[in-house]
Amino acid sequence: MEGLMMDYQLTIDRILEHAYRMHPHKQVTTKLPGGTMHRYSYADLYHRVKRLANVLGALGIESGDRVGTFAWNSFQHLELYFAVPCTAAVCHTLNIRLSPELLAYVVNHAEDKAVFIDAAVLPVFEQAADQIGCVEHYVLFNVDSGVQTKLPNVSFYEDLMAQAFEDYEWSGMDEKAAMGLCYTSGTTGNPKGVLYSHRSVYLHTMGISHANAFALSEQDVVMPAVPMYHAMAWGLPYACAFAGADMVLPGQYLKPSDLAQMIADQKVTVPAGVPTLWSGLYEELKTKPRDTSHIRTLAVGGAAMPRPLIQAYETELHVNVMQGWGMTETSPVGTLLNLQSHHSAILEHAQWDIKAKQGYPLAGVEMRIVDETGELLPWDGVAMGELQVRGPWVANSYYKVKPSPEHFTTDGWFRTGDVAVISTDGCMQIVDRAKDLVKSGGEWISSLEIENALLDHPKVREAAVIAIPDERWIERPLAVVVLDSDAGAVTEEELVLHLDSKFPKFWLPDKISFVDEIPKTSVGKLDKKSLRHRYTGDPWR
Amino acid sequence: MEGLMMDYQLTIDRILEHAYRMHPHKQVTTKLPGGTMHRYSYADLYHRVKRLANVLGALGIESGDRVGTFAWNSFQHLELYFAVPCTAAVCHTLNIRLSPELLAYVVNHAEDKAVFIDAAVLPVFEQAADQIGCVEHYVLFNVDSGVQTKLPNVSFYEDLMAQAFEDYEWSGMDEKAAMGLCYTSGTTGNPKGVLYSHRSVYLHTMGISHANAFALSEQDVVMPAVPMYHAMAWGLPYACAFAGADMVLPGQYLKPSDLAQMIADQKVTVPAGVPTLWSGLYEELKTKPRDTSHIRTLAVGGAAMPRPLIQAYETELHVNVMQGWGMTETSPVGTLLNLQSHHSAILEHAQWDIKAKQGYPLAGVEMRIVDETGELLPWDGVAMGELQVRGPWVANSYYKVKPSPEHFTTDGWFRTGDVAVISTDGCMQIVDRAKDLVKSGGEWISSLEIENALLDHPKVREAAVIAIPDERWIERPLAVVVLDSDAGAVTEEELVLHLDSKFPKFWLPDKISFVDEIPKTSVGKLDKKSLRHRYTGDPWR
């Protein structure tokens, strides 16, 4: 017997309509190229999204067509976030950090029919243009009138908008329809596309807004410094609109001084970004203090925030830090760390130990850890296993790829490829990427834990630990380290000694290699694939 | 093109599993008959729900069967809230305030196969028993061993639980399956059944937990003084479980002194109930202060909370009041009033004016007001029209009743039967029930506004305004008033004078009738049907 409730589809147009009806005066602020602040309201956004919907129609975009975006965080990007799915097309966010080859690969693989490009990153895109075959229209915004480009079929965003009608009626989509496409950053093999549905994004929007999660409300001013070109900027643009929170979009201005100034000027309550941004911001604020008193939560994800940095923010700057974990495949937010009621009485130092973990699954997300045979492991804070998740905003396959047991279990869980420990109270901590673990003499060594311990050393700026082949032990850890510029002389022995008390003897790296820079992936993570290639000569590791 | 996300069904077992996995130690506290406090954890709840699922199986309850509950708020009632839907049956909450005739009517109409009865209200149920034909099993809980009952086929809850296995595997239901049934209180005609689906309740759970709504988190201790026997106790039992909030269930102990003591002892953060409860609580707290410092939101709904009472709570007791509006048909929460960021600078008195309204629709709920011809009315704070709503947790028809245009519009909205005004910022205020409006000389008069103004008078305890027939004006307002016991002599003239400055002359009641008591409906609202009958002799008005 079915319930007798409205068959109300969970689609993105509902989120936009809610923002327009209930929060028309709330603000979207963008730092534009040149540094001026652009400011408009959700009502303005709404009317421009309707115009843009007509623009898409005029370009021949039809239901299910993929429309690429290649841009910094800006109001135009936000307009595309809404207009493309609201016209039943698929918003394909292109990562501006991809190599020309990978960029061309994803555009071709997705068969993008149109690509909207922020002129600030036009030269980056142009390097890939020759290898792209499918795009019928390029549309430029933030554009200088004298722009020269080798792209074909170029038109200009504001020209098209000026010509378009403002009336547009949403077509009433099915919630299962695809609304967005985002490719993984591809640390192994080619990037894989995750195809979000209206329903999954709507539910993710509600999930991250929960009071146990971001607790986003109409009182907030959210600054997604996390890019809209990857993993939907953690879903914050949709969640802000649904909550009626003000949004501050920093454009290309991600330098610590810029972020610090925007936080102060715009009274930001929730800045959101990766640890490297907040590491830079911390240094900036120590050198030149700004008003950070409006921050209620500094949200951090994409990589683990080092415990000393969390402690520094909380004790020196009185800024509350909330760590999280997610993946492109999980829309992306899977877990977040807000301290729980049973933590209220523990000491500050113990709190930071907890805050350095990845956190508790959102209501809606299920997680488990399994061993190599697929057996469930206990939540005991000790057992280490592959993290698997499921839920209404988790992918069940990749775009144009048959679901394989490498990524999806037969009983319906997504295999994250992360290795994790879960404490008795359900707090998840990533130990490593499965492929980054070092297996030495039959025992696992966590590269991540050694990296974090190295980062605790006052003279170490960056650290990466990889496995190198060893005749006796099969694999042994090698540490690659970047020292602080003013570190002076530091010996291998000094660093190994620093690690000595923290780990079993067999965990200690046999060798430490000092370098000037560690290569990064397109989303700013340590590029261990390239390091392994460099140190072992094996491109397939 | 469909998205490639997991087809994850939004069902009640997911909420229970989340509570068990993530918040096993959080507490459910019940005040039992006799006054002792029963306390157990979500882990205990979980295991007992699994036992109860086996009990239901043993009783022959199958998918889609209706199972009645007739009980105060208690842990057993909570177990039924989960076990019945998690076994794919339908939890039919029976209103303990119904007359024997109406109670028999709803049990028979729903064809309840089993009814679980709180022994504290057994005598009430027994009065209806002779008229009930469909029930195969009665199960009693909170029962005295020596209980005598005329009910047939009686068994005892704890006996059945003791015999049942604890292992039970959820069957993997479709989210559109019916999970709950609740009849409207039936102020006009027979009660009508609203059949909730798993999906609607799951989404309502997320909706009311949003930071713009109840903002329920794992830090909360929620006391639903609003009954679980009607409108799902505002959905709080499910939302608490999903958020990991502690729950305090007051059982039959709704006296002001009991509530005050539980709020203090249990450190309640969100008490939730109807205005009459909080009016009593206020008097109690003024007489005998208790610790209310843990309250972050006193939630009130079911009827309008008078502005003076809101002001008294906020200024004298420093308790934040959040008003809301909803109906059985809206699961039930439709709107809530949290002050918005643009209110931050206004004066306290203006804030209370706002807080006396019904509030802003939850993210997910759409509302509109229309005139008698169905034309949309503006949100201008002046236009008065029928409130209509739609959303994923709004009913689209009544159980075993063909949807009629009287209740559902052809374009998919539910007609609430409430008349409302919506301010420019989207704040909804109920002006009256459509059928309670007085139409005098072609102009509408709001009975509710006159009632509220009468309640502002220091000597008035209760007030009801109804229309009585008038030869010249068709209808005229009549006020029925209960004075405070220590009010002394109050004249009609004094009260009319009190209203004089607030309304147009033609709004003033021609007559005020002083009575000792105003009749109430089964959910404690003014029973205007019965008043109209008494004052006009017309039972059909």
Side-chain angles (χ1 to χ4, degrees):
Chain A
M1 183 166 64
E2 287 201 356
L4 295 172
M5 307 303 284
M6 287 185 183
D7 183 22
Y8 186 94
Q9 297 296 295
L10 310 177
T11 51
I12 303 300
D13 52 313
R14 313 284 201 185
I15 295 176
L16 179 67
E17 288 285 341
H18 184 81
Y20 172 57
R21 280 191 317 268
M22 300 313 305
H23 307 287
H25 303 300
K26 300 310 291 286
Q27 299 287 302
V28 177
T29 306
T30 302
K31 188 154 187 173
L32 291 176
T36 57
M37 301 304 279
H38 173 277
R39 207 171 164 88
Y40 73 7
S41 69
Y42 280 127
D44 297 326
L45 169 72
Y46 178 80
H47 294 302
R48 281 179 53 95
V49 167
K50 292 214 148 184
R51 258 180 215 280
L52 181 53
N54 285 314
V55 167
L56 293 167
L59 292 175
I61 302 300
E62 293 173 5
S63 170
D65 282 348
R66 274 74 64 208
V67 175
T69 65
F70 194 76
W72 293 106
N73 294 7
S74 66
F75 71 93
Q76 301 99 328
H77 208 166
L78 187 64
E79 288 164 6
L80 288 157
Y81 258 52
F82 282 103
V84 176
C86 289
T87 55
V90 178
C91 183
H92 176 199
T93 52
L94 294 162
N95 188 333
I96 66 174
R97 302 291 193 194
L98 287 180
S99 66
E101 291 69 33
L102 282 182
L103 178 58
Y105 172 83
V106 298
V107 172
N108 289 327
H109 189 265
E111 300 170 81
D112 291 334
K113 198 163 173 183
V115 179
F116 285 71
I117 299 174
D118 186 339
V121 286
L122 176 58
V124 183
F125 194 93
E126 284 178 322
Q127 294 174 47
D130 290 345
Q131 306 167 54
I132 292 173
C134 51
V135 177
E136 296 172 15
H137 302 280
Y138 288 105
V139 183
L140 303 186
F141 57 86
N142 280 341
V143 75
D144 193 322
S145 59
V147 72
Q148 296 278 330
T149 176
K150 60 185 249 195
L151 295 183
N153 306 319
V154 164
S155 48
F156 298 96
Y157 193 78
E158 290 305 334
D159 293 351
L160 298 177
M161 291 288 270
Q163 292 155 21
F165 283 110
E166 199 180 273
D167 269 5
Y168 187 96
E169 195 138 340
W170 314 127
S171 56
M173 290 155 297
D174 188 286
E175 65 186 29
K176 289 188 178 162
M179 65 66 64
L181 179 61
C182 179
Y183 282 73
T184 60
S185 46
T187 46
T188 47
N190 271 325
K192 295 178 289 293
V194 178
L195 192 64
Y196 303 120
S197 66
H198 283 265
R199 172 184 162 108
S200 69
V201 171
Y202 189 107
L203 292 171
H204 179 263
T205 299
M206 294 185 87
I208 69 170
S209 304
H210 193 287
N212 282 341
F214 278 91
L216 285 182
S217 86
E218 176 276 336
Q219 308 277 336
D220 277 311
V221 180
V222 179
M223 182 177 77
V226 54
M228 292 171 71
Y229 60 72
H230 190 66
M232 291 284 179
W234 301 353
L236 291 170
Y238 299 117
C240 287
F242 218 23
D246 285 338
M247 249 184 275
V248 178
L249 301 173
Q252 70 210 65
Y253 296 95
L254 298 176
K255 284 213 306 282
S257 56
D258 290 317
L259 294 176
Q261 205 57 48
M262 278 184 271
I263 287 169
D265 293 348
Q266 308 298 327
K267 300 184 167 56
V268 171
T269 63
V270 183
V274 294
T276 43
L277 282 184
W278 302 150
S279 159
L281 178 69
Y282 168 77
E283 298 297 343
E284 171 73 19
L285 291 171
K286 292 297 285 185
T287 318
K288 187 179 166 195
R290 313 290 209 299
D291 179 11
T292 55
S293 64
H294 294 90
I295 299 180
R296 67 168 176 83
T297 300
L298 183 80
V300 56
M305 177 105 151
R307 184 188 181 289
L309 188 56
I310 297 173
Q311 180 174 348
Y313 264 102
E314 303 218 334
T315 55
E316 297 168 30
L317 301 172
H318 310 292
V319 165
N320 170 52
V321 176
M322 176 182 72
Q323 187 141 216
W325 167 90
M327 298 176 72
T328 308
E329 291 88 338
T330 62
S331 290
V333 186
T335 68
L336 288 172
L337 203 138
N338 287 301
L339 288 183
Q340 304 221 329
S341 45
H342 67 272
H343 295 135
S344 61
I346 66 174
L347 297 174
E348 278 196 329
H349 276 271
Q351 290 194 5
W352 296 315
D353 288 342
I354 295 161
K355 286 195 159 195
K357 301 181 181 186
Q358 278 60 53
Y360 301 91
L362 305 194
V365 173
E366 296 179 46
M367 68 177 182
R368 67 183 187 187
I369 46 175
V370 301
D371 69 14
E372 288 167 300
T373 67
E375 280 297 302
L376 281 185
L377 292 171
W379 293 13
D380 60 6
V382 177
M384 240 185 224
E386 185 188 38
L387 179 68
Q388 303 186 340
V389 294
R390 67 175 182 181
W393 53 84
V394 179
N396 70 7
S397 57
Y398 293 108
Y399 187 50
K400 293 188 192 171
V401 180
K402 249 179 100 162
S404 86
E406 188 193 342
H407 299 296
F408 302 95
T409 70
T410 49
D411 64 341
W413 293 69
F414 168 61
R415 301 181 57 182
T416 65
D418 279 332
V419 176
V421 164
I422 303 178
S423 66
T424 50
D425 77 336
C427 188
M428 190 273 287
Q429 179 174 21
I430 298 287
V431 179
D432 218 333
R433 289 293 294 167
K435 62 183 185 314
D436 292 343
L437 277 173
V438 181
K439 194 159 195 179
S440 182
E443 297 278 351
W444 292 116
I445 297 172
S446 161
S447 65
L448 197 64
E449 287 189 36
I450 303 178
E451 287 160 12
N452 285 337
L454 284 167
L455 289 173
D456 274 351
H457 191 282
K459 294 178 179 170
V460 171
R461 198 170 70 206
E462 290 185 329
V465 170
I466 56 168
I468 50 167
D470 183 274
E471 272 192 23
R472 180 162 176 206
W473 303 107
I474 314 298
E475 290 185 351
R476 289 295 300 149
L478 164 84
V480 184
V481 165
V482 180
L483 295 174
D484 274 336
S485 47
D486 57 355
V490 180
T491 64
E492 255 184 85
E493 290 67 35
E494 182 179 342
L495 291 185
V496 173
L497 198 66
H498 168 75
L499 299 176
D500 190 51
S501 64
K502 300 185 172 73
F503 301 110
K505 278 275 178 282
F506 78 95
W507 278 47
L508 303 181
D510 293 342
K511 185 169 167 43
I512 292 180
S513 167
F514 294 98
V515 298
D516 290 338
E517 198 178 359
I518 293 177
K520 305 288 188 326
T521 70
S522 61
V523 291
K525 297 183 186 176
L526 300 172
D527 186 353
K528 293 198 179 177
K529 187 166 64 166
S530 136
L531 278 182
R532 279 189 285 259
H533 189 181
R534 185 189 303 172
Y535 285 95
T536 70
D538 179 356
W540 302 111
R541 287 182 62 93
Chain B
M1 184 166 61
E2 287 201 356
L4 295 172
M5 306 303 283
M6 287 185 183
D7 182 21
Y8 186 96
Q9 297 296 295
L10 310 177
T11 51
I12 302 301
D13 51 314
R14 313 285 201 185
I15 294 176
L16 179 67
E17 288 287 340
H18 184 81
Y20 173 58
R21 279 192 317 268
M22 301 313 306
H23 308 288
H25 303 300
K26 301 309 291 286
Q27 300 287 301
V28 177
T29 306
T30 302
K31 187 155 186 173
L32 292 177
T36 57
M37 300 305 279
H38 174 276
R39 208 171 163 88
Y40 73 7
S41 69
Y42 279 127
D44 297 324
L45 170 71
Y46 179 80
H47 294 302
R48 282 180 52 95
V49 167
K50 293 214 146 181
R51 257 178 216 280
L52 181 51
N54 285 315
V55 167
L56 293 167
L59 293 176
I61 302 300
E62 292 173 7
S63 169
D65 282 348
R66 274 75 65 209
V67 174
T69 65
F70 193 76
W72 293 105
N73 294 7
S74 66
F75 71 94
Q76 301 98 328
H77 208 168
L78 187 64
E79 289 164 6
L80 289 157
Y81 258 53
F82 283 103
V84 176
C86 289
T87 55
V90 178
C91 183
H92 176 199
T93 52
L94 294 163
N95 189 331
I96 65 173
R97 303 290 192 195
L98 289 180
S99 66
E101 291 69 34
L102 283 180
L103 177 59
Y105 171 83
V106 298
V107 173
N108 288 326
H109 189 266
E111 299 170 82
D112 291 334
K113 198 163 170 181
V115 179
F116 285 71
I117 299 176
D118 186 339
V121 286
L122 177 60
V124 184
F125 194 94
E126 284 178 323
Q127 292 175 49
D130 290 345
Q131 306 168 54
I132 292 174
C134 50
V135 177
E136 296 173 15
H137 302 280
Y138 288 104
V139 183
L140 302 187
F141 58 88
N142 280 341
V143 75
D144 194 319
S145 58
V147 71
Q148 297 278 332
T149 176
K150 60 186 248 190
L151 295 183
N153 305 321
V154 165
S155 46
F156 298 95
Y157 193 77
E158 291 305 333
D159 293 350
L160 298 177
M161 292 289 270
Q163 292 156 19
F165 283 111
E166 200 180 274
D167 270 5
Y168 188 96
E169 195 138 341
W170 314 128
S171 57
M173 291 155 294
D174 188 286
E175 66 186 29
K176 289 189 178 160
M179 65 65 66
L181 178 62
C182 180
Y183 283 73
T184 60
S185 46
T187 47
T188 48
N190 272 324
K192 296 179 288 294
V194 178
L195 192 64
Y196 303 120
S197 67
H198 283 265
R199 171 184 162 108
S200 70
V201 170
Y202 190 108
L203 293 170
H204 180 264
T205 299
M206 295 185 86
I208 68 169
S209 304
H210 194 287
N212 282 341
F214 277 91
L216 284 184
S217 87
E218 176 276 335
Q219 309 277 336
D220 277 311
V221 180
V222 179
M223 183 177 75
V226 54
M228 292 171 72
Y229 60 70
H230 191 65
M232 290 285 179
W234 301 351
L236 292 170
Y238 298 117
C240 287
F242 219 22
D246 284 338
M247 249 183 273
V248 178
L249 301 172
Q252 70 211 61
Y253 296 95
L254 298 175
K255 284 212 306 283
S257 56
D258 290 317
L259 294 175
Q261 204 57 47
M262 278 184 270
I263 287 170
D265 293 347
Q266 308 298 327
K267 301 183 166 55
V268 170
T269 63
V270 183
V274 294
T276 44
L277 283 185
W278 302 150
S279 159
L281 179 69
Y282 167 77
E283 299 297 342
E284 171 73 19
L285 291 170
K286 292 296 285 184
T287 318
K288 187 180 166 193
R290 311 289 208 301
D291 179 12
T292 55
S293 64
H294 294 91
I295 299 179
R296 67 167 178 81
T297 300
L298 183 80
V300 56
M305 176 103 151
R307 185 188 180 287
L309 187 55
I310 297 173
Q311 179 173 347
Y313 265 102
E314 303 218 334
T315 56
E316 297 168 31
L317 300 172
H318 310 291
V319 165
N320 171 51
V321 176
M322 175 180 73
Q323 187 141 215
W325 167 90
M327 297 174 72
T328 307
E329 291 88 339
T330 62
S331 290
V333 186
T335 68
L336 288 173
L337 202 138
N338 286 301
L339 288 182
Q340 304 220 330
S341 45
H342 67 271
H343 296 134
S344 60
I346 66 174
L347 297 174
E348 278 198 327
H349 276 273
Q351 290 193 5
W352 296 315
D353 287 344
I354 295 161
K355 287 196 158 194
K357 301 180 180 185
Q358 277 60 52
Y360 301 92
L362 304 195
V365 173
E366 297 179 44
M367 66 176 183
R368 67 184 188 187
I369 45 175
V370 302
D371 69 14
E372 289 166 298
T373 68
E375 280 298 302
L376 281 186
L377 291 171
W379 292 13
D380 59 6
V382 177
M384 238 185 229
E386 185 188 38
L387 179 68
Q388 302 186 341
V389 295
R390 66 174 181 181
W393 55 82
V394 179
N396 71 7
S397 57
Y398 293 107
Y399 187 50
K400 294 189 193 170
V401 180
K402 252 179 98 160
S404 87
E406 186 192 343
H407 300 295
F408 302 96
T409 70
T410 50
D411 63 343
W413 293 69
F414 167 62
R415 301 181 60 182
T416 65
D418 278 331
V419 175
V421 164
I422 303 177
S423 67
T424 51
D425 77 336
C427 189
M428 189 273 286
Q429 180 174 21
I430 298 287
V431 179
D432 218 335
R433 289 294 294 169
K435 62 183 185 316
D436 292 342
L437 279 171
V438 181
K439 195 158 194 180
S440 182
E443 297 279 350
W444 291 116
I445 297 172
S446 162
S447 65
L448 197 64
E449 287 190 37
I450 302 178
E451 286 160 12
N452 284 337
L454 284 168
L455 289 173
D456 275 351
H457 191 282
K459 293 177 179 171
V460 171
R461 196 170 73 206
E462 292 185 328
V465 171
I466 57 169
I468 50 168
D470 183 275
E471 270 191 25
R472 181 165 176 202
W473 304 107
I474 313 298
E475 290 184 349
R476 289 295 301 150
L478 163 83
V480 184
V481 165
V482 180
L483 295 175
D484 273 336
S485 47
D486 57 354
V490 180
T491 63
E492 258 185 82
E493 290 66 37
E494 181 179 340
L495 290 185
V496 173
L497 198 67
H498 168 76
L499 299 175
D500 190 51
S501 64
K502 299 185 173 73
F503 301 109
K505 278 275 178 286
F506 78 95
W507 277 47
L508 303 180
D510 293 342
K511 183 166 169 44
I512 292 180
S513 168
F514 295 98
V515 297
D516 290 338
E517 198 178 359
I518 293 177
K520 305 288 188 326
T521 70
S522 62
V523 292
K525 297 182 185 176
L526 300 171
D527 186 354
K528 293 198 179 177
K529 188 166 64 164
S530 134
L531 278 182
R532 281 189 285 260
H533 190 179
R534 185 189 304 173
Y535 285 95
T536 70
D538 180 354
W540 303 111
R541 288 180 62 92

